[in-house]
Amino acid sequence: MRVLKEYSIFDVEQHCTHEDLWIIYKDKVYNMTSYYNMHPGGLAILRYAGRDATLALPFVSAHSFAWSIIEKKLEECLIGVVKR
């Protein structure tokens, strides 16, 4: 079983640019930096850079047809969990 590092909300907030882009989704932390240039929505991913995207991610209309791809990409980019 993979042990994940714990990050505070403050830790994640420090990674909020296209060159260093982390997001939170369902209390897990993802480093999406390598995915930024491939994101089909372009700059839209920056809206949640350094933030919690839990409430928004599933409701983006373009995500509905590609949810299995999104889940796979999230798993690839998983780096930790949110320290509560």
Side-chain angles (χ1 to χ4, degrees):
M1 184 173 165
R2 184 171 153 188
V3 177
L4 296 172
K5 185 173 178 176
E6 288 187 332
Y7 295 97
S8 70
I9 299 290
F10 179 77
D11 293 330
V12 176
E13 289 173 343
Q14 305 313 300
H15 302 272
C16 60
T17 70
H18 69 280
E19 296 172 332
D20 185 17
L21 196 165
W22 291 12
I23 65 167
I24 297 169
Y25 180 66
K26 293 187 175 180
D27 290 328
K28 293 182 180 174
V29 179
Y30 301 89
N31 182 341
M32 304 303 290
T33 308
S34 64
Y35 181 64
Y36 172 76
N37 288 325
M38 296 180 283
H39 185 253
L43 299 176
I45 195 171
L46 286 177
R47 287 186 199 129
Y48 293 95
R51 298 176 56 204
D52 190 335
T54 301
L55 296 177
L57 196 61
F59 299 106
V60 173
S61 60
H63 290 171
S64 62
F65 71 92
W67 195 248
S68 62
I69 295 168
I70 293 167
E71 287 177 324
K72 183 177 183 215
K73 182 53 65 181
L74 287 172
E75 185 59 34
E76 291 172 8
C77 296
L78 179 64
I79 60 168
V81 296
V82 176
K83 181 175 29 175
R84 299 279 180 192

